[in-house]
Amino acid sequence: MPNIKLYTAKLSPPGRAVELTAKLLGLSLDVVPINLLAGDHRKDEFLKLNPQHTIPIIDDGGVIVRDSHAIIIYLVLKYGQDHSLYPDDPIIRAKVNAALHFDSGVLFSRLRFYFEPILYEGSSEVPQHKIDYMKKGYELLNDALVDDYMVGNTLTLADVSCIATIATMEEFFPMERSKYPALVAWIERLSHTLPEYEQLNQEGAVEFAEICESLRLKNAIKAKYTFLNMATPSMVLYYDEVSPPVRGVLLTIAALGVKDRIKFEYINLFNGGHLSADFIKINPLHTIPVLRHGDLTLIDSHAILMYLCDTFAPAEHTFAIPDTLTRAKVFNMLCFNNGHLFQRDAEVMRKIFSGDITDPTKHLKPIQETIDALEHFLQQTRYTALDRLSVADLAIVATLSTLNLLVPIDADRWPRVHEWFKEMQSLPYYNDQNRVGLEKLRKILSTKIKI
């Protein structure tokens, strides 16, 4: 048995084509893992073997063969008991060669054009023209598959090489299988024909797509933070934690983990800080919170919440708003908080602090009816807007926890609200970002009414 070293990576489609071929030939390879992301292919010892710094390559007792297509032909011609994978007939061999070049020049090159900028250039883009270019490869191969295999009805190196690439492409961008019946049948046929197909090919294809997508998302986050650090000034939040809208923003900042990206300017509401001439220049409505970011000034907490999510939430974050439907659902519940829940709170609080009422018990019915509506919403979804936590929950819990000072959340009347409220109180950032301001408000409120 020859001692053939294969320098490769499980992620590499061409490398997997070599391993599939060796398995068909009954050859045992001495696999030398090359970590592309760590730059192993650019180290001096590897460049001595392959100045083009590509994988796979083989070292067969001092004979160095580069490029997967050349390698698999070499292995069949030197070690195959017959040449069925690369037939001697010049016409059939020409067809196999054409298919190998189709893999190299069409399929794999289109896949490479997509992933290389992500792996090596820090790109986070998903260019539609590159996706369309890859999908055109599905169409071309589907139309070429007039027989069971790429060259007639017998397995050849053309199939082995192309399946390694196609399996990877589909993990990146799954095909619409109804559009490519011949291609789908071919994939199924090879997955059952090739020995150890799952281990030698499919696992690597899945892993490569997952790693590439994870890196793309990291690149996007890095690019976003680089832009914020270099191209725009810091954000400034004007706040007083006694305010429910402010607390909703503070909860969101904590949930996104971006406190270090924001400068906090305290505005003392009960000392009239919001009425100062300097603050009115910033917000003539003299309300808080206010977020300033360069030339942008946002004077409504709900607009601030959406802006924070759009600016800081990466695609995989629970607060990401990836599509129009999700945005509509979240925005709908933010409007419910702003137009109903918070307005009921603000109306009663204004009367209490102005001295118009000293016993709010006769003024609580509108609040109770609004919590009734929240109970209805929470019977439809796990959280207030979606079946996952969203920024709407943080805005609403800041308001509801304030209302809870006046109207305790009764588990019998509002079982879903009570359950949701308990879950929100268990969030790791709830105490610091909401309860502290709430207790501060409770102390001030207790000087006006009995609570």
Side-chain angles (χ1 to χ4, degrees):
M1 181 69 68
N3 180 25
I4 304 171
K5 287 185 178 181
L6 170 65
Y7 296 81
T8 189
K10 188 177 181 181
L11 307 182
S12 166
R16 284 185 263 117
V18 173
E19 293 194 74
L20 287 167
T21 301
K23 182 61 65 173
L24 285 168
L25 296 173
L27 288 172
S28 178
L29 301 175
D30 179 7
V31 176
V32 181
I34 299 297
N35 188 331
L36 297 174
L37 298 180
D40 288 356
H41 59 308
R42 294 185 180 275
K43 293 180 179 178
D44 289 343
E45 56 268 31
F46 185 83
L47 292 175
K48 290 176 182 178
L49 296 171
N50 184 8
Q52 295 176 324
H53 54 76
T54 58
I55 58 169
I57 62 172
I58 63 167
D59 180 350
D60 183 14
V63 175
I64 307 299
V65 185
R66 310 178 185 101
D67 185 275
S68 65
H69 307 89
I71 292 170
I72 59 179
I73 291 172
Y74 171 86
L75 293 177
V76 169
L77 294 181
K78 184 170 183 179
Y79 295 107
Q81 293 182 357
D82 57 54
H83 294 169
S84 60
L85 290 173
Y86 191 60
D88 294 326
D89 182 281
I91 296 175
I92 298 176
R93 182 170 287 188
K95 292 179 179 180
V96 173
N97 288 338
L100 292 175
H101 283 292
F102 174 74
D103 175 53
S104 177
V106 177
L107 297 179
F108 184 70
S109 64
R110 296 181 187 205
L111 176 62
R112 188 178 71 246
F113 293 155
Y114 174 78
F115 73 71
E116 278 191 343
I118 295 171
L119 294 187
Y120 306 125
E121 299 170 18
S123 174
S124 61
E125 296 181 359
V126 186
Q128 188 59 46
H129 71 278
K130 290 188 177 182
I131 299 171
D132 294 341
Y133 203 42
M134 266 194 281
K135 290 182 176 179
K136 181 66 176 178
Y138 295 153
E139 179 184 335
L140 293 172
L141 183 53
N142 181 78
D143 293 347
L145 284 165
V146 295
D147 297 307
D148 286 349
Y149 294 96
M150 292 192 67
V151 180
N153 292 310
T154 303
L155 179 72
T156 67
L157 292 180
D159 303 285
V160 178
S161 188
C162 288
I163 191 61
T165 305
I166 283 289
T168 309
M169 289 171 64
E170 194 179 14
E171 289 302 322
F172 276 88
F173 299 103
M175 68 181 73
E176 295 179 47
R177 294 201 152 208
S178 61
K179 294 176 61 175
Y180 311 110
L183 178 54
V184 170
W186 174 78
I187 293 171
E188 291 296 318
R189 189 174 299 114
L190 288 175
S191 69
H192 293 98
T193 301
L194 295 173
E196 299 183 28
Y197 176 85
E198 188 72 22
Q199 178 184 351
L200 294 178
N201 190 44
Q202 195 61 39
E203 289 179 3
V206 172
E207 184 178 348
F208 186 29
E210 289 176 348
I211 288 175
C212 198
E213 179 62 9
S214 175
L215 186 58
R216 186 188 71 79
L217 294 174
K218 289 179 181 178
N219 291 342
I221 296 170
K222 183 178 179 181
K224 182 178 286 187
Y225 274 82
T226 300
F227 173 78
L228 289 173
N229 283 325
M230 298 179 62
T232 60
S234 296
M235 293 183 179
V236 180
L237 179 71
Y238 297 84
Y239 80 104
D240 184 338
E241 62 266 53
V242 298
S243 160
V246 166
R247 282 184 267 120
V249 172
L250 294 176
L251 284 165
T252 301
I253 291 170
L256 291 169
V258 294
K259 191 173 181 179
D260 61 333
R261 293 289 305 127
I262 298 170
K263 180 181 178 182
F264 295 86
E265 292 284 348
Y266 179 64
I267 302 296
N268 191 324
L269 286 177
F270 287 98
N271 283 347
H274 59 306
L275 300 175
S276 70
D278 288 342
F279 185 74
I280 288 175
K281 290 178 184 177
I282 296 170
N283 180 12
L285 296 178
H286 52 77
T287 57
I288 56 170
V290 172
L291 183 75
R292 301 186 79 184
H293 191 198
D295 295 332
L296 176 67
T297 300
L298 297 175
I299 60 173
D300 177 85
S301 66
H302 305 88
I304 293 171
L305 296 176
M306 297 291 280
Y307 184 67
L308 290 172
C309 290
D310 288 341
T311 303
F312 291 116
E316 75 275 14
H317 198 284
T318 185
F319 286 175
I321 306 173
D323 54 68
T324 302
L325 181 60
T326 302
R327 182 172 293 271
K329 290 179 178 179
V330 171
F331 190 71
N332 183 52
M333 292 309 296
L334 288 175
C335 289
F336 166 75
N337 182 62
N338 188 30
H340 297 275
L341 205 61
F342 178 68
Q343 291 306 318
R344 300 293 185 266
D345 169 65
E347 182 180 8
V348 174
M349 289 295 180
R350 277 194 298 267
K351 291 178 180 179
I352 292 173
F353 285 109
S354 67
D356 290 347
I357 59 174
T358 55
D359 182 4
T361 55
K362 295 181 180 180
H363 302 267
L364 300 180
K365 186 177 179 181
I367 294 175
Q368 293 168 333
E369 290 176 344
T370 308
I371 301 174
D372 286 341
L374 182 59
E375 175 70 18
H376 170 78
F377 295 139
L378 283 168
Q379 288 175 355
Q380 315 305 312
T381 53
R382 179 180 174 186
Y383 293 96
T384 58
L386 309 167
D387 285 323
R388 58 177 170 85
L389 188 70
S390 76
V391 71
D393 297 285
L394 302 188
I396 290 172
V397 77
T399 305
L400 187 74
S401 61
T402 307
L403 293 173
N404 188 51
L405 299 175
L406 305 174
V407 182
I409 304 304
D410 183 353
D412 292 331
R413 179 168 178 174
W414 301 302
R416 278 292 292 119
V417 174
H418 184 269
E419 178 186 20
W420 169 84
F421 190 30
K422 286 187 66 176
E423 183 175 354
M424 296 300 293
Q425 289 172 305
S426 70
L427 292 172
Y429 42 82
Y430 178 88
N431 285 340
D432 287 344
Q433 308 306 324
N434 191 63
R435 198 182 299 277
V436 171
L438 190 63
E439 289 304 312
K440 184 177 176 181
L441 177 61
R442 183 198 297 272
K443 290 180 181 179
I444 298 171
L445 192 61
S446 65
T447 66
K448 299 292 183 178
I449 62 172
K450 184 179 179 180
I451 55 173

